[in-house]
Amino acid sequence: MNKVLYTLSAMLGLLIIILLVNTVLFTSKQVSVSPLELIEVDKQAVASRLSNAVQLKTVSNQNSNEFDATAILQLHQHLANSFPQVHATLEKTVINQFSLLYKWNGINTEQKPVILMAHLDVVPIEPETAPQWEHPPFSGLISDGFVWGRGTLDNKSNLTAQLEAIENLIKSGFRPERTIFLAYGHDEETGGEQGARAIADHLKKQGVQASFTLDEGMMIVDKKLSPIKKNTGIIGIAEKGYLTLKVLAREQGGHSSMPPEKLTLLTLAHAIESLVSNQLPASLSGSSGALFDYLGPEMPFLQKMLFANRWLFEPVILMVLERQKTTNAMLRTTTAPTMIQGGVKENVLPSQAHVLVNFRILPGETPQSVLAHAKKVIDDPAVEVQIHQSSSTPPSRVSRSDSEAFHLIAKSLRQVFPGTVITPGLLLAATDSKHYETVADDNYRFSPFTLGPDDIPRIHGNNERIGLEDYAKMIQFYVQLIRNTADL
Ligand SMILES: [Zn+2]
């Protein structure tokens, strides 16, 4: 008996040692930067150029016939007027009439270029929400330290901040070491087929293979929202795919006075239940694993120990993270029944009924693998499962979080936002980046502004705005990033 006890306590001791060693070796991955002087920004002047861009209603509606060509062309003109040095120095190519590609030739043409991205279009305003805006959505009003209006976060601030940065650098006599492309699509909000995809095809034809693209996507999350209670800059290294399945049930119809045992709506209900209760598995590897590699070391000791020993604690961690909808969505392909249809009259049993189920696909899975999973878990000959219309996009590839380019973005960020913890992460929405996988080694998704607790609903929502201080920092970030590309 003593021997058993002795063996058990020795094993326990060994386990504790392993856990502690792993925790001690789980060290910070944050780049250290020395303080440096950032460029001076004339906050009022830059805000008024952003404001003018916001006032142009470059709206992408679901119906592409409602596209306002005049507004996009006015935006081109506004950029030309506002950034004369950029337009005198960079080569500008208009793609598909409305998208813009600029090329700033680097000194060293041997080195791979860098592509900075943004988009010219914005989402519409729901007419019934217009009265809820504190200032009219296309006023571009500068008030209370903010520029207000649709596009101030998504995505005209990225657009004009990049151009402000380059205008500033040219004026100071700077020449980039490597070539910088600026790629501005005009239809990101409807998928980017006419804009980003065409720009990427154009670059490919020119034989361009960039080091990386940097597009909108994630941002700095305010400490109040961050799990580590420090401002956290999340650099998106991947984005989820999209799929809608149509699940159709068929049983015998007829008069509702004599219902049979097998009812169409019940069969459909069982199918929904099967899908929701047998979701695709959650995982701590891939892009979510990368997030915890970076955030784990910044956590208090006990949490740090959990993440340093995922080989043991993964089931516990998953159980906790799956309970919250935001973290759950980072870990798995999500399943969301969204629309249902069936029946024509209250006293008629429907012979068929269907539900649409929307999935956001985790990198590593595909629309086909999700379809196969759905068929398997429903497993009912009375139910047909198919991809709805053409609504499927595979997830993006996962870009590297150990590349020089990732390091460079992280360094630029910490130079402009000292103390911010940087981590790679998975973007739950879609961007134009997916079109650039073949023209760049890596695709990163990050907008250099800080999102506070009440800011998330502003994106694509009401009262979108950006602080003048925040906007100045965006410009400083792009300046720093371009300067740093010499060290890639
Ligand atoms: Zn956007």
Side-chain angles (χ1 to χ4, degrees), residues 4-72:
V4 174
L5 267 182
Y6 176 77
T7 315
L8 276 179
S9 52
M11 279 168 71
L12 187 65
L14 185 66
L15 179 66
I16 292 172
I17 291 172
I18 294 172
L19 295 182
L20 290 175
V21 168
N22 281 344
T23 312
V24 171
L25 294 178
F26 197 37
T27 49
S28 178
K29 283 180 168 289
Q30 302 303 310
V31 207
S32 55
V33 293
S34 18
L36 86 174
E37 204 166 310
L38 300 171
I39 59 144
E40 289 255 343
V41 175
D42 178 343
K43 293 192 188 87
Q44 287 304 324
V46 297
S48 85
R49 286 188 282 268
L50 170 61
S51 159
N52 287 326
V54 170
Q55 290 169 45
L56 299 166
K57 297 180 183 170
T58 58
V59 174
S60 271
N61 289 294
Q62 202 57 39
N63 178 356
S64 53
N65 292 334
E66 291 170 33
F67 175 72
D68 183 356
T70 314
I72 288 273

Side-chain angles (χ1 to χ4, degrees), residues 119 154-155 188-189 216 460:
H119 58 89
D154 182 11
N155 177 246
E188 190 274 342
E189 299 292 0
E216 64 173 337
H460 287 203

Side-chain angles (χ1 to χ4, degrees), residues 43 146 417 448-450 466-475:
K43 293 192 188 87
F146 296 94
F417 302 88
F449 55 74
T450 308
I466 185 141
L468 299 191
E469 288 291 333
D470 292 307
Y471 184 53
K473 286 217 167 271
M474 290 178 80
I475 298 166

Side-chain angles (χ1 to χ4, degrees), residues 51-352:
S51 159
N52 287 326
V54 170
Q55 290 169 45
L56 299 166
K57 297 180 183 170
T58 58
V59 174
S60 271
N61 289 294
Q62 202 57 39
N63 178 356
S64 53
N65 292 334
E66 291 170 33
F67 175 72
D68 183 356
T70 314
I72 288 273
L73 296 176
Q74 283 173 338
L75 180 57
H76 289 191
Q77 192 55 49
H78 168 58
L79 300 179
N81 297 342
S82 303
F83 306 107
Q85 298 294 333
V86 169
H87 287 79
T89 313
L90 279 64
E91 292 165 20
K92 175 174 125 178
T93 310
V94 179
I95 308 268
N96 266 351
Q97 286 184 279
F98 304 116
S99 286
L100 295 173
L101 176 67
Y102 295 88
K103 184 181 183 192
W104 193 9
N105 286 307
I107 298 164
N108 187 342
T109 51
E110 299 287 287
Q111 296 200 44
K112 285 183 176 174
V114 165
I115 304 173
L116 301 182
M117 296 165 59
H119 58 89
L120 305 173
D121 59 327
V122 294
V123 288
I125 311 292
E126 284 181 88
E128 54 278 15
T129 64
Q132 295 161 20
W133 283 69
E134 281 178 49
H135 304 291
F138 292 99
S139 65
L141 194 78
I142 304 171
S143 165
D144 315 321
F146 296 94
V147 184
W148 295 79
R150 177 61 86 228
T152 47
L153 294 172
D154 182 11
N155 177 246
K156 283 178 175 164
S157 51
N158 285 34
L159 167 79
T160 50
Q162 289 169 13
L163 292 164
E164 293 284 358
I166 296 176
E167 185 80 5
N168 193 299
L169 284 164
I170 297 171
K171 280 186 190 156
S172 72
F174 176 90
R175 275 195 67 194
E177 191 60 26
R178 59 180 67 221
T179 296
I180 311 277
F181 285 100
L182 306 175
Y184 302 143
H186 69 276
D187 62 346
E188 190 274 342
E189 299 292 0
T190 49
E193 290 295 324
Q194 300 297 314
R197 171 168 294 219
I199 299 173
D201 287 347
H202 173 87
L203 290 170
K204 202 172 179 187
K205 274 195 208 116
Q206 313 271 308
V208 171
Q209 179 63 30
S211 164
F212 70 95
T213 58
L214 179 62
D215 191 10
E216 64 173 337
M218 311 295 275
M219 54 284 290
I220 301 172
V221 172
D222 185 89
K223 55 181 173 299
K224 293 189 201 94
L225 294 174
S226 169
I228 53 166
K229 305 294 166 220
K230 290 174 195 162
N231 281 6
T232 306
I234 310 173
I235 300 169
I237 53 171
E239 60 191 55
K240 285 182 120 179
Y242 185 101
L243 169 72
T244 301
L245 291 181
K246 182 177 178 181
V247 178
L248 177 76
R250 284 195 186 94
E251 300 286 4
Q252 212 183 1
H255 201 285
S256 64
S257 59
M258 286 186 296
E261 196 185 336
K262 293 203 163 183
L263 294 162
T264 302
L265 294 185
L266 188 61
T267 301
L268 188 65
H270 284 150
I272 299 172
E273 165 70 22
S274 301
L275 284 175
V276 174
S277 50
N278 296 287
Q279 303 213 7
L280 284 132
S283 157
L284 272 187
S285 57
S287 46
S288 23
L291 177 104
F292 295 113
D293 287 342
Y294 276 72
L295 292 190
E298 314 302 322
M299 291 178 175
F301 187 81
L302 274 181
Q303 282 164 280
K304 186 174 160 178
M305 188 163 77
L306 286 179
F307 285 103
N309 292 283
R310 273 168 271 174
W311 62 276
L312 181 63
F313 296 120
E314 176 157 346
V316 183
I317 298 172
L318 284 178
M319 212 171 67
V320 174
L321 296 177
E322 281 178 293
R323 279 200 208 128
Q324 288 211 14
K325 63 179 182 182
T326 40
T327 40
N328 180 53
M330 282 164 39
L331 302 175
R332 63 151 41 91
T333 295
T334 50
T335 305
T338 50
M339 292 176 82
I340 193 159
Q341 203 169 45
V344 288
K345 196 167 182 310
E346 65 188 84
N347 60 355
V348 177
L349 289 167
S351 59
Q352 56 173 284

